[in-house]
Amino acid sequence: MAPITIYRQDALFDLIKNLSKAEKRNFKLYATRQAGYADAKFIVLFDVLDSMDEYDEQKILKHCPVKKSQLPNMKAHLYRQILVSSRLINVQHNLTMQLREQIDFARILYDKGLYRQSLKLLDKAKKAALSAEQSTIALEIVEIEKDIETLHITRSGITRAEQLSSQTTELCTLIDNTNQLSNISIQLYGLYLKLGYVRSERDLDLVIKFFKHKLDNYDVRTLSFMEKLHLYQAMMWYAYIRHDFVSCFKYSAKVIALFDEHPRMRPIYYDQYLKGYSRYLETLFLTRNYERLAATTKYYEKVVIKEMSELNDHAIILSHLALYFHKINVHFMEGTFKEGIELIPKIEAFLKKYNSNIDMHYKLLFYYKIACLYFGDAQYIECIDYLQRIINTRDTNVRRDLQCFARILNLIAAYESTQDYNLDYQIRSVYSFIVKMNDMHAVQKEIIAFLKRLNRIYASDIQAELQVLYKKMLPYESHPYERRPFFYLDIISWLESKIRGVTVAEVIQEKFRRSLERHKMKKNAVKDVLPVTE
């Protein structure tokens, strides 16, 4: 057997692999701008790293005219040169970089004693910062202006001093409010990553007691764009982890509307815009609003993706994460698992291309959704393969809820695939893991108890046992806390498919058709009672 080569991560290598073609070309022009630099050692190092698929230090030393002891310094120099050249090409597309550049220019003018020119440049940058609600940068500029006015005679007068003092107070208040709201939002997000949804009355009480009073003290009418944005995001997460998907939909819609009211803010805060859109689409799925989900997903792909693709790699990554997630969700609602599986090669290519840029949370979510697509199409071996990627995750604190349900689905898929020769051992292992994660609730208990009995149930009694489990499960589907497993796996439809002897896809497709018919009848009924207008 050939030895296994272990490749380690390298910051410089990752940076080069994430450069666009334009950035690589610009670096070469920047690095060779002076005569005699074309064959510089750091440029040779760049070419070697760029040609490699995996980081290999031995290959670098073989092809670069550099000693091993010199390599760390050479890499540090190259790293800085790449960042400087990348900044030059990206500054025109990034307002924050432009503002920082203006501050640097103002400092150069100040050091040359050109105080008035420095103040003029700072004032222009401050207006741009205030317009984009870059409050922290605006405050930094005001502090520099105060230093210049205090240390040097600029004859600006007392009104100028009062103006700067007033701006400092206003900006400090604005920054403080924004920080408080963003802190609440990130705390709620961290709680969700660790625990998922609230799992009991105790969880709910803790969340309400800790966060509700913090969110009730704001009058939206008096808030700035950034304050509103962070408030809506905090309310979004507050509703989401409490299973209040109607309120979550409401606040995610407010985030989108806020950006529609201020379209110039979308390129600046694109990440916040995309997160709001993603939550909006997800709540449409969780509230089973198919028509709006399908229509919005198409609009998102046609309009939002195009707009974001013109910004940068990060915008492309975030926008496509949401697109693929919600395209899969549309297939889940329709029961079109086979068609959904056609997305997998694109998703795998996307994950491979941006592997170092996508965190484990999103990867686990993709693996689980793909596993569910395969499960719905009765491709249980492929389903198990993706579930194992989740089960083998080293960090059990990342999406513990997903890690628990992946193990349960893995048991069911093993049973369905007839690869259940060690099912008893698997059940004990899963049971132990779920108890350890403090995630053992009624639905999990019933499923594990059923699987435990399988080896002792006669084939002729399986249908009766399935009927019993089905009746036990039905009340949990609408239970405020026990319904959580149904967000991850349509257990009811699986049981129905086993009882009726049809596929899961057929059961979900039937339910989907009935849902559309009911929705159509409801719409027609509303039309019938509306008054006729001329």
Side-chain angles (χ1 to χ4, degrees):
M1 179 182 287
I4 298 174
T5 304
I6 299 175
Y7 297 101
R8 63 185 180 88
Q9 289 295 105
D10 182 85
L12 176 60
F13 178 76
D14 287 341
L15 173 61
I16 292 172
K17 288 302 176 182
N18 279 280
L19 295 176
S20 66
K21 289 182 179 178
E23 287 171 327
K24 289 178 181 179
R25 183 169 58 252
N26 186 70
F27 166 74
K28 284 299 193 72
L29 292 172
Y30 173 79
T32 58
R33 65 195 183 282
Q34 293 180 354
Y37 266 66
D39 297 322
K41 292 180 181 180
F42 73 92
I43 298 177
V44 177
L45 176 59
F46 175 87
D47 290 334
V48 172
L49 287 168
D50 189 32
S51 67
M52 290 163 50
D53 294 324
E54 299 284 355
Y55 181 78
D56 187 342
E57 194 165 288
Q58 295 304 315
K59 185 177 178 180
I60 294 170
L61 294 170
K62 182 179 178 181
H63 292 89
C64 285
V66 59
K67 296 177 182 178
K68 188 172 183 178
S69 59
Q70 298 173 318
L71 186 58
N73 288 337
M74 184 68 68
K75 286 168 64 178
H77 177 68
L78 174 57
Y79 192 90
R80 186 179 184 282
Q81 293 297 312
I82 292 172
L83 289 178
V84 171
S85 69
S86 295
R87 186 183 186 281
L88 290 172
I89 195 173
N90 288 307
V91 67
Q92 58 186 312
H93 306 296
N94 189 296
L95 177 63
T96 304
M97 286 187 184
Q98 291 170 16
L99 294 172
R100 291 288 176 198
E101 184 179 62
Q102 293 302 303
I103 292 172
D104 292 342
F105 290 163
R107 182 71 204 190
I108 291 169
L109 292 170
Y110 173 82
D111 288 342
K112 291 184 176 297
L114 302 170
Y115 309 129
R116 293 187 184 281
Q117 290 187 39
S118 179
L119 285 170
K120 185 177 180 181
L121 201 58
L122 287 169
D123 187 59
K124 182 180 177 182
K126 182 173 66 178
K127 287 176 181 176
L130 291 171
S131 177
E133 296 203 23
Q134 296 268 358
S135 302
T136 305
I137 295 178
L139 180 61
E140 182 182 345
I141 293 170
V142 171
E143 291 298 323
I144 297 171
E145 288 178 311
K146 284 162 64 177
D147 286 344
I148 296 174
E149 294 284 1
T150 304
L151 297 173
H152 305 281
I153 300 173
T154 59
R155 297 182 178 86
S156 297
I158 191 167
T159 55
R160 173 67 170 164
E162 290 174 350
Q163 181 189 41
L164 291 174
S165 178
S166 175
Q167 281 185 337
T168 301
T169 303
E170 289 173 8
L171 285 168
C172 285
T173 302
L174 184 61
I175 291 168
D176 184 52
N177 286 340
T178 304
N179 284 340
Q180 287 182 28
L181 287 165
S182 63
N183 285 344
I184 297 170
S185 183
I186 196 67
Q187 286 169 357
L188 284 162
Y189 180 61
L191 186 65
Y192 168 70
L193 287 182
K194 187 174 181 180
L195 299 176
Y197 305 103
V198 294
R199 299 170 294 173
S200 63
E201 283 287 348
R202 181 174 173 273
D203 283 356
L204 181 63
D205 287 343
L206 285 172
V207 171
I208 291 173
K209 285 177 182 177
F210 190 77
F211 291 106
K212 190 175 189 301
H213 71 280
K214 296 183 178 182
L215 295 168
D216 286 343
N217 300 325
Y218 296 93
D219 181 359
V220 177
R221 293 169 298 181
T222 65
L223 301 182
S224 65
F225 171 87
M226 287 304 296
E227 288 172 306
K228 286 180 182 177
L229 177 60
H230 286 298
L231 175 62
Y232 294 157
Q233 286 178 331
M235 293 300 294
M236 218 163 50
W237 281 113
Y238 180 64
Y240 187 72
I241 65 175
R242 292 184 299 114
H243 304 270
D244 185 359
F245 300 127
V246 173
S247 293
C248 186
F249 170 80
K250 170 186 169 184
Y251 284 103
S252 60
K254 283 180 178 289
V255 170
I256 296 171
L258 185 64
F259 278 101
D260 287 342
E261 290 170 20
H262 304 85
R264 62 190 175 82
M265 295 295 197
R266 285 204 293 263
I268 303 171
Y269 303 106
Y270 63 87
D271 47 352
Q272 313 287 3
Y273 173 61
L274 289 170
K275 286 177 183 177
Y277 233 119
S278 180
R279 189 64 60 228
Y280 177 83
L281 288 165
E282 186 170 4
T283 49
L284 288 175
F285 171 68
L286 292 170
T287 54
R288 294 298 186 259
N289 191 335
Y290 169 76
E291 288 190 349
R292 186 175 286 186
L293 173 64
T296 308
T297 302
K298 287 181 181 177
Y299 172 84
Y300 181 88
E301 184 173 17
K302 184 179 180 181
V303 177
V304 178
I305 289 287
K306 183 181 178 182
E307 182 181 355
M308 294 299 110
S309 65
E310 296 171 357
L311 297 179
N312 52 52
D313 282 350
H314 190 218
I316 292 170
I317 292 166
L318 289 178
S319 59
H320 280 78
L321 282 171
L323 176 66
Y324 289 132
F325 282 146
H326 301 300
K327 274 192 163 187
I328 291 175
N329 285 342
V330 170
H331 288 296
F332 283 163
M333 290 192 72
E334 295 172 340
T336 51
F337 298 102
K338 191 175 292 295
E339 291 78 1
I341 288 170
E342 294 175 7
L343 288 170
I344 295 174
K346 289 182 181 179
I347 294 171
E348 285 285 15
F350 169 74
L351 291 176
K352 183 178 180 181
K353 182 177 181 180
Y354 297 107
N355 178 56
S356 61
N357 306 98
I358 300 174
D359 66 35
M360 187 53 66
H361 160 74
Y362 290 115
K363 289 177 184 177
L364 294 181
L365 196 51
F366 266 126
Y367 296 155
Y368 193 84
K369 285 182 176 290
I370 291 172
C372 288
L373 284 174
Y374 278 124
F375 185 87
D377 197 45
Q379 297 189 43
Y380 302 115
I381 304 301
E382 290 79 2
C383 170
I384 290 170
D385 178 55
Y386 276 91
L387 292 172
Q388 287 299 317
R389 299 189 191 187
I390 302 172
I391 293 168
N392 294 331
T393 302
R394 293 180 181 178
D395 188 353
T396 55
N397 288 319
V398 178
R399 289 306 302 266
R400 297 193 313 193
D401 53 344
L402 267 186
Q403 295 199 44
C404 288
F405 287 105
R407 284 164 169 80
I408 291 174
L409 182 57
N410 189 67
L411 287 177
I412 298 172
Y415 165 68
E416 289 282 25
S417 66
T418 69
Q419 292 194 357
D420 54 355
Y421 49 87
N422 62 343
L423 193 62
D424 287 340
Y425 168 76
Q426 290 185 54
I427 290 169
R428 287 195 299 272
S429 175
V430 171
Y431 187 89
S432 174
F433 182 87
I434 294 175
V435 169
K436 183 180 176 182
M437 292 295 107
N438 191 27
D439 204 40
M440 182 62 76
H441 293 271
V443 172
Q444 292 96 309
K445 287 179 182 177
E446 293 292 352
I447 293 173
I448 290 176
F450 168 76
L451 292 170
K452 274 184 177 179
R453 295 196 304 271
L454 276 177
N455 289 337
R456 301 190 299 273
I457 300 173
Y458 292 110
S460 57
D461 296 331
I462 286 287
Q463 286 293 99
E465 288 287 339
L466 287 166
Q467 290 277 8
V468 171
L469 181 61
Y470 177 73
K471 289 176 182 177
K472 287 181 178 179
M473 287 292 181
L474 272 179
Y476 297 135
E477 196 174 19
S478 55
H479 191 280
Y481 307 115
E482 295 296 347
R483 64 178 178 166
R484 189 165 61 102
F486 301 97
F487 299 150
Y488 299 92
L489 171 65
D490 193 343
I491 300 165
I492 298 295
S493 293
W494 172 69
L495 288 170
E496 286 183 23
S497 73
K498 299 302 293 180
I499 293 167
R500 292 170 50 193
V502 297
T503 65
V504 174
E506 288 175 303
V507 172
I508 294 176
Q509 286 165 14
E510 285 179 21
K511 290 181 178 180
F512 175 66
R513 285 193 293 270
R514 288 199 299 268
S515 175
L516 289 182
E517 288 169 6
R518 284 196 300 271
H519 183 65
K520 187 176 180 181
M521 289 172 64
K522 189 175 180 180
K523 285 175 70 175
N524 290 337
V526 171
K527 286 180 182 177
D528 291 341
V529 299
L530 287 175
V532 178
T533 56
E534 294 182 4

